[in-house]
């Protein structure tokens, strides 16, 4: 029998007192433990976000992402670099070894990026750290007693007047405005009229999308300057939606060949195909052979109805 066992059997009262002391100490310590909803945990990850308006993903990768990655590659304790280049945006995620001082790492990365020459229209890169302390700690509500002030005007006041002043406060990392209202136009289909015109909701939705476009079309080099080009054709009023031609209704017995086009181009009856166009070019309907085809081009050129055909609008 060991000495400890022998002592425990001979001094049972002492062992009981020791057990009671341990239990009491544990119960007391439990009541003194600190609990936090968002503990101060810093992950060894940095994100570098760069906006390049009007640029295609390939232009963003070549002109922004690759130079930034090369500048960040020699940062101490850097483990991995992952990047995503999309339209108008470059996102780089840098992972460091655990235990790295992320404030110092962020400062080093920021200094490295200052030497990178970005395209003329690109916005300076922002270095962000993921930190639980970055979550909003103060939320303010804005209410107007003036009945003449619309929600949109109230939101604009918050963005123009309050946000700049709050951002100046020492220790404030970011100020965001949420809420407010924005104007929208809802297109509601009439199922009865769709059946009468032999159209489907998907066809009408496709034509609406094809005539409401905005995307980068490349760049033009002029005098050593790269100018981004965008192709746009967007609705600016409800009247434009109401007057949009979504199909044609041919006279009884009339037939026509279908032309090609993005967004449902219609051929001119009489054998002539409709013109092709990006954005829903429509061929000109006609009752007589040799009807004129619709125009082609960006933005949904439409042919004029002739010889008794009826255009179908929204």
């Amino acid at each position: 029998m060991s000495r400890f066992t022998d002592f425990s059997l001979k001094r049972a009262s002492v062992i009981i007192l020791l057990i009671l002391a341990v239990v009491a100490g544990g119960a007391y310590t439990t009541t003194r433990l600190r609990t936090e909803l968002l503990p101060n945990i810093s992950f060894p990850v940095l994100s570098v976000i760069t906006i390049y308006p009007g640029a295609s993903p390939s232009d963003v990768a070549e002109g922004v992402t690759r130079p930034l990655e090369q500048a960040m590659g020699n940062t101490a304790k850097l483990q991995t670099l992952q990047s995503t280049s999309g339209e108008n945006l470059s996102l780089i995620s840098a992972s460091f070894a655990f235990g790295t001082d992320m404030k110092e790492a962020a400062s080093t990365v920021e200094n490295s990026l200052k030497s990178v020459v970005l395209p003329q229209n690109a916005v300076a890169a922002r270095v962000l750290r993921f930190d639980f302390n970055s979550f909003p700690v103060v939320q303010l509500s804005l209410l107007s007693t003036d009945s003449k002030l619309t929600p949109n005007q109230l939101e604009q006041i918050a963005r123009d007047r309050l946000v700049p002043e709050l951002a100046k406060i020492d220790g404030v990392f970011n100020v965001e405005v949420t809420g407010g209202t924005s104007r929208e136009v809802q297109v509601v289909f009439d199922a009865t009229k769709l059946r009468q015109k032999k159209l489907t909701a998907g066809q009408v939705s496709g034509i609406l999308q094809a005539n409401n476009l905005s995307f980068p079309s490349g760049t033009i080099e002029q005098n050593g300057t790269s100018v981004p080009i965008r192709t746009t054709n967007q609705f600016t009023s409800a009247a434009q939606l109401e007057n949009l031609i979504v199909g044609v209704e041919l006279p009884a017995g009339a037939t026509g060949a279908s032309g090609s086009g993005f967004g449902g181009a219609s051929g001119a009856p009489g054998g002539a195909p409709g013109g092709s166009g990006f954005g829903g070019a429509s061929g000109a309907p006609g009752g007589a052979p040799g009807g004129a085809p619709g125009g082609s081009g960006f933005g949904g050129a439409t042919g004029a109805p002739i010889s008794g055909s009826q255009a179908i609008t929204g």
Side-chain angles (χ1 to χ4, degrees):
M1 186 178 296
S2 65
R3 293 182 180 179
F4 180 76
T5 304
D6 185 55
F7 176 81
S8 300
L9 293 175
K10 292 182 179 180
R11 301 288 190 272
S13 59
V14 176
I15 298 301
I16 293 174
L17 290 175
L18 289 175
I19 294 174
L20 292 176
V22 171
V23 172
Y28 175 78
T29 305
T30 302
T31 61
R32 307 295 297 177
L33 289 176
R34 296 179 56 189
T35 58
E36 296 183 11
L37 177 62
L38 297 175
N40 187 15
I41 300 176
S42 180
F43 293 94
V45 177
L46 291 178
S47 297
V48 179
I49 300 176
T50 311
I51 299 176
Y52 187 6
S56 64
S58 59
D59 292 335
V60 172
E62 293 295 330
V64 177
T65 304
R66 184 170 298 177
L68 294 180
E69 286 181 332
Q70 293 175 351
M72 298 170 58
N74 296 326
T75 306
K77 297 185 180 181
L78 176 65
Q79 290 186 333
T80 60
L81 275 177
Q82 294 181 341
S83 63
T84 301
S85 299
E87 183 178 326
N88 307 325
L89 180 67
S90 169
L91 174 61
I92 302 175
S93 178
S95 300
F96 293 82
F98 277 94
T100 304
D101 187 346
M102 296 309 298
K103 290 184 178 180
E104 182 180 351
S107 177
T108 302
V109 170
E110 289 176 350
N111 293 332
S112 300
L113 298 183
K114 290 180 181 179
S115 61
V116 179
V117 180
L118 297 176
Q120 183 177 4
N121 295 330
V123 181
R126 293 184 59 190
V127 180
L128 304 177
R129 288 192 302 125
F130 182 79
D131 190 347
F132 279 114
N133 292 329
S134 299
F135 285 87
V137 294
V138 177
Q139 294 183 347
L140 304 176
S141 298
L142 193 60
L143 179 65
S144 173
T145 57
D146 187 355
S147 59
K148 297 181 180 180
L149 199 62
T150 65
N152 288 338
Q153 293 174 331
L154 191 63
E155 181 183 3
Q156 198 63 37
I157 290 175
R159 294 186 183 278
D160 296 342
R161 300 183 185 179
L162 300 183
V163 170
E165 295 299 325
L166 292 174
K168 295 178 182 178
I169 300 176
D170 187 27
V172 174
F173 174 74
N174 188 31
V175 180
E176 293 183 355
V177 177
T178 58
T181 59
S182 58
R183 183 174 178 267
E184 69 175 19
V185 177
Q186 295 183 347
V187 179
V188 182
F189 297 135
D190 189 326
T192 303
K193 289 186 177 181
L194 286 177
R195 287 193 297 268
Q196 292 175 353
K197 304 300 182 181
K198 297 181 180 180
L199 293 171
T200 65
Q203 290 174 330
V204 179
S205 298
I207 294 174
L208 290 172
Q209 293 174 1
N211 285 274
N212 191 54
L213 302 170
S214 178
F215 57 90
S217 303
T219 58
I220 294 179
E221 300 293 336
Q222 185 176 11
N223 298 329
T225 302
S226 180
V227 181
I229 304 298
R230 293 187 66 87
T231 298
T232 60
N233 181 63
Q234 295 181 313
F235 298 114
T236 57
S237 66
Q240 293 179 345
L241 291 171
E242 294 173 354
N243 297 325
L244 179 67
I245 297 178
V246 297
V248 291
E249 190 175 42
L250 300 177
T255 59
S258 297
S260 62
F262 189 94
S266 302
S276 61
F278 196 99
S282 303
S296 62
F298 285 84
T302 57
I306 57 177
S307 301
S309 297
Q310 180 182 359
I312 302 173
T313 64

